[in-house]
Amino acid sequence: MKLYFKYFSIHLKSVMQYKVSFLLTVFSQLMLTVTSFLGIHFMFARFHTVEGFTYNEVLFCCGVVLLSFCLAECIARGFDTFASMIGNGEFDRILVRPRNEILQVLGTRIEFTRVGRMLMGIVMFVYAANRGGIPWDVPRVITLLFMILGGTTIFCGLFLLYAGFCFFTLEGLEFMNIFTDGMYQHGRYPLSVYGKRVLQFCTYIIPFSLVQYYPLMYVLGKGGGTYCIFLPLLAMLFLIPCWIFWRVGVRKYTSTGS
Amino acid sequence: MIQVEHLRKTFRVAKRSAGFGNAVKALFHREYDEIHALDDIFFRIEDGEAVGYIGPNGAGKSSTIKILSGILTPDSGTCLVDGRIPWKDRKTHVAKIGVVFGQRSQLWWDVPVIDSFELIRDIYAVPESDYKRNLRDLTDLLDLSELLKTPTRSLSLGQRMRCEIAASLLHDPRILFLDEPTIGLDAVSKLAVREFILDMNRTRGTTVILTTHDMQDIEALAQRVILIGKGRILLDGTLDDIRRGGEQIDETLAALYRQFDI
């Protein structure tokens, strides 16, 4: 963990070498998120509810998902460029260092520019949490923290899975984006709006609804028992198969020429 | 001590002929070539030796180095480095070796070299007093004092290579693997790098295993030469065993390659 902060500081030093670029990227990230917010806004300007969810409720959901996605991106962005790390042999270097490989991959890239998105997530989230008429109490706050924690874990797991595939294909697989970026795009709305099948898929295959839909229902007071508080923690188990898959990949690793 | 016995490694390489039609065909049905990168390799290297590991391109030099440094897992055979199996005890193993890839950098691109060194110190958990001593020695020997505050991206290749070698030695490795350390360097840098490696080997007793295409590297550094071709060990002896009086060393080697048909 201490080492991760060392990586953190060296990236910060690198970033500071290119100030203008950094600020512009933060700004563009912010704008990107604003557009996704506007999408929701205009939708609700026309229809007042979507499948029984009000504007504030969707905004709240969106804020939570956005926040977990950004956190996961900040931490695990190294996996996103993992295909190129294998391609240019950078992964060889990681293997000759006496530290955990995953930690080192994480350390290769830490995205400070995601601060922009995260800021927007927090704004949306606070706005919605205040106006949404949610009766905040201790269990709800805990649920919310679990949701963000669990959501971040699931996104990290998906990034890890994506990187694991690279060992077998040596190329990033675009289809995995359905699950990473796609999950975040679709996760802005409570998953039940997509119908039963999607909800089932996101419960049993990729346990995304355990951090989004079910605890959300609990927080909003729309049903779902107290067990929903702990569902996000259950969802964190998703990381285990992802990790095993990665381990298998490392063993199969064949490196590149020269 | 490094002990290698019956080491084998095979890669599957997809092959197809040129042209768009064949590319489409390869999408559905793919043929593979089995390439025996290493085919029953055996050798033994004692502590403190300096060994040149030579052979033509694609002979299996890098694959051997990658197995010895724990990057690759071989298909079969045994390999013990100071009693450790590299790919099984990866973390404990790599803490005690140093690896320099001539073609790749291990320094962080945008920050001054000294920042990279400090991060490497933390990665290897080198005690502060050892780190300071090593850094001082390496700075003197490789003449780095001017370079430490420069970002890596602004260094010339020769300057960078000196920093790379220093970076691989900050944690006092017992064994040093050098994969083409002098590739692309000018004469002065080459000499500096050679002199330094020789010095490490003589005074600290570091075991050095060196792959290179530059025979002068071998002449300057290696008491012993191992020749590999098509995944097999063809020759294991001193440089004099290879040389047949008077000829240029490069010509001798080319003749040797032709003789073994590799």
Side-chain angles (χ1 to χ4, degrees):
Chain A
M1 206 57 213
K2 224 176 98 195
L3 187 67
Y4 188 73
F5 284 109
K6 294 282 165 63
Y7 275 120
F8 197 82
S9 83
I10 209 161
H11 281 285
L12 204 59
K13 283 177 202 162
S14 304
V15 162
M16 287 192 287
Q17 296 259 334
Y18 307 103
K19 265 181 228 120
V20 179
S21 156
F22 174 72
L23 290 175
L24 282 177
T25 322
V26 169
F27 180 72
S28 72
Q29 290 283 344
L30 193 69
M31 289 321 286
L32 244 149
T33 325
V34 171
T35 51
S36 74
F37 161 72
L38 286 179
I40 297 178
H41 184 79
F42 288 129
M43 168 97 95
F44 277 94
R46 204 159 261 270
F47 315 100
H48 294 285
T49 57
V50 171
E51 289 274 326
F53 291 98
T54 65
Y55 175 57
N56 283 319
E57 285 166 351
V58 170
L59 214 55
F60 176 74
C61 172
C62 180
V64 173
V65 172
L66 192 65
L67 208 57
S68 3
F69 186 70
C70 291
L71 277 171
E73 263 198 323
C74 277
I75 302 166
R77 203 60 194 177
F79 286 124
D80 210 38
T81 51
F82 189 67
S84 69
M85 288 186 65
I86 288 191
N88 63 22
E90 215 181 316
F91 192 61
D92 288 2
R93 178 49 65 186
I94 281 176
L95 285 175
V96 299
R97 291 207 165 124
R99 292 290 178 144
N100 182 282
E101 310 97 49
I102 293 180
L103 177 78
Q104 290 191 69
V105 175
L106 296 184
T108 53
R109 201 151 163 221
I110 297 167
E111 283 288 352
F112 294 102
T113 51
R114 295 297 185 271
V115 174
R117 270 202 213 181
M118 212 160 1
L119 221 61
M120 188 65 201
I122 293 173
V123 168
M124 262 159 76
F125 170 76
V126 170
Y127 173 82
N130 276 332
R131 286 197 38 194
I134 300 164
W136 287 107
D137 51 18
V138 178
R140 284 197 164 80
V141 174
I142 293 175
T143 315
L144 176 68
L145 291 177
F146 282 169
M147 279 167 85
I148 294 173
L149 186 70
T152 310
T153 314
I154 287 194
F155 280 122
C156 286
L158 287 169
F159 284 132
L160 188 61
L161 203 62
Y162 173 79
F165 270 111
C166 297
F167 285 115
F168 300 96
T169 60
L170 295 183
E171 269 299 317
L173 287 176
E174 224 27 54
F175 90 87
M176 275 303 288
N177 283 347
I178 301 172
F179 301 114
T180 51
D181 291 314
M183 202 57 99
Y184 141 72
Q185 292 291 346
H186 293 110
R188 290 179 303 179
Y189 296 94
L191 286 167
S192 62
V193 305
Y194 301 110
K196 210 172 154 205
R197 285 283 157 74
V198 174
L199 189 62
Q200 277 169 346
F201 178 82
C202 290
T203 305
Y204 300 108
I205 313 291
I206 294 169
F208 190 59
S209 66
L210 300 187
V211 301
Q212 197 235 32
Y213 178 68
Y214 298 110
L216 186 73
M217 296 304 268
Y218 173 76
V219 172
L220 298 178
K222 293 196 166 195
T226 35
Y227 68 91
C228 289
I229 301 176
F230 300 102
L231 283 180
L233 297 184
L234 189 68
M236 288 167 79
L237 295 177
F238 177 65
L239 210 52
I240 295 172
C242 296
W243 182 75
I244 292 173
F245 184 69
W246 160 272
R247 292 295 319 165
V248 173
V250 172
R251 206 151 307 157
K252 285 245 331 178
Y253 178 59
T254 51
S255 186
T256 49
S258 94
Chain B
M1 191 176 65
I2 302 173
Q3 259 180 305
V4 172
E5 274 162 18
H6 304 299
L7 208 60
R8 283 174 206 278
K9 178 83 191 171
T10 311
F11 293 112
R12 275 175 82 212
V13 177
K15 61 165 185 187
R16 67 171 177 82
S17 321
F20 183 72
N22 284 314
V24 174
K25 218 161 73 186
L27 201 60
F28 299 104
H29 177 73
R30 198 164 282 194
E31 286 172 20
Y32 288 96
D33 270 345
E34 295 237 311
I35 294 189
H36 300 280
L38 298 177
D39 196 359
D40 204 15
I41 294 279
F42 56 93
F43 57 78
R44 187 187 162 106
I45 295 170
E46 302 293 333
D47 287 341
E49 270 194 283
V51 179
Y53 197 49
I54 56 171
N57 293 325
K61 298 188 299 293
S62 292
S63 297
T64 316
I65 299 282
K66 280 175 186 168
I67 288 174
L68 288 176
S69 53
I71 296 172
L72 290 181
T73 313
D75 298 337
S76 65
T78 58
C79 170
L80 279 179
V81 182
D82 291 339
R84 299 177 301 262
I85 300 172
W87 58 94
K88 286 205 176 131
D89 319 316
R90 191 185 66 80
K91 273 190 241 172
T92 44
H93 175 64
V94 296
K96 294 186 177 110
I97 63 167
V99 188
V100 176
F101 294 113
Q103 321 229 38
R104 289 172 200 149
S105 178
Q106 61 168 321
L107 304 166
W108 280 261
W109 202 241
D110 287 320
V111 293
V113 175
I114 188 75
D115 283 342
S116 291
F117 282 6
E118 277 171 12
L119 186 54
I120 288 168
R121 171 196 68 192
D122 295 325
I123 290 173
Y124 284 93
V126 184
E128 188 61 34
S129 56
D130 292 2
Y131 170 73
K132 278 198 178 130
R133 193 195 61 232
N134 282 335
L135 184 64
R136 200 183 50 229
D137 293 354
L138 291 166
T139 311
D140 287 349
L141 286 168
L142 288 164
D143 194 19
L144 301 179
S145 49
E146 300 288 304
L147 309 179
L148 288 179
K149 294 198 173 87
T150 320
T152 310
R153 68 179 136 82
S154 323
L155 297 176
S156 74
L157 185 59
Q159 291 171 331
R160 209 190 76 208
M161 189 50 68
R162 269 147 56 201
C163 295
E164 297 277 347
I165 291 174
S168 308
L169 289 168
L170 287 171
H171 60 289
D172 269 327
R174 299 297 310 137
I175 303 172
L176 182 61
F177 294 101
L178 299 151
D179 198 355
E180 306 190 26
T182 55
I183 197 164
L185 299 191
D186 64 43
V188 177
S189 305
K190 259 187 200 174
L191 287 177
V193 166
R194 276 182 204 149
E195 199 183 326
F196 174 75
I197 296 171
L198 200 62
D199 188 64
M200 288 298 296
N201 177 244
R202 296 239 168 102
T203 58
R204 289 206 202 183
T206 311
T207 312
V208 173
I209 291 134
L210 169 90
T211 80
T212 184
H213 292 294
D214 187 335
M215 288 316 291
Q216 287 166 338
D217 283 353
I218 303 282
E219 276 184 308
L221 295 173
Q223 300 116 30
R224 180 177 160 200
V225 178
I226 298 176
L227 174 68
I228 181 174
K230 289 188 178 164
R232 289 169 176 277
I233 300 284
L234 300 173
L235 214 145
D236 185 346
T238 64
L239 204 57
D240 293 329
D241 291 346
I242 298 180
R243 199 185 326 218
R244 289 165 298 181
E247 286 174 61
Q248 284 285 309
I249 186 81
D250 278 334
E251 287 165 15
T252 317
L253 198 68
L256 207 60
Y257 286 178
R258 275 196 291 276
Q259 179 194 331
F260 283 113
D261 186 30
I262 52 178

